[in-house]
Amino acid sequence: RAGPVVSAVSDRPGPTTGLSFAHEPSVVSDADETYRTVVSGASASFTVQGSEFIGHVAPAESVAVAEAVVENVSEQYDDATHNVPAY
């Protein structure tokens, strides 16, 4: 299980938006552990010294899905100077 995907892009000028989640995090159980994860995608942004930092999170049930989410964010923000995925 890949877990949630977090992708952050930065250095894009623009307005600051708030964080919104459609649902509370869900609980996932494996044979060895239980942890909380996201149910649906969300994003948040903030601006520091004229640079906008945007974070995205999305559920992913596999590495392939996680990589597809990262690719989608990279394409959506192709003018970003940084795109930092974690999964």
Side-chain angles (χ1 to χ4, degrees):
R1 179 174 310 220
V5 175
V6 177
S7 181
V9 296
S10 66
D11 291 337
R12 294 187 76 239
T16 301
T17 60
L19 177 65
S20 66
F21 287 96
H23 306 283
E24 290 294 316
S26 67
V27 176
V28 176
S29 294
D30 281 341
D32 298 326
E33 63 184 316
T34 299
Y35 55 92
R36 298 182 87 174
T37 187
V38 297
V39 176
S40 62
S43 65
S45 68
F46 60 94
T47 302
V48 176
Q49 297 180 352
S51 292
E52 183 180 23
F53 295 84
I54 307 167
H56 301 273
V57 62
E61 292 297 321
S62 68
V63 171
V65 171
E67 290 174 347
V69 170
V70 171
E71 182 65 26
N72 185 6
V73 170
S74 296
E75 289 174 1
Q76 184 178 0
Y77 298 96
D78 63 351
D79 60 340
T81 59
H82 298 81
N83 187 0
V84 184
Y87 55 91

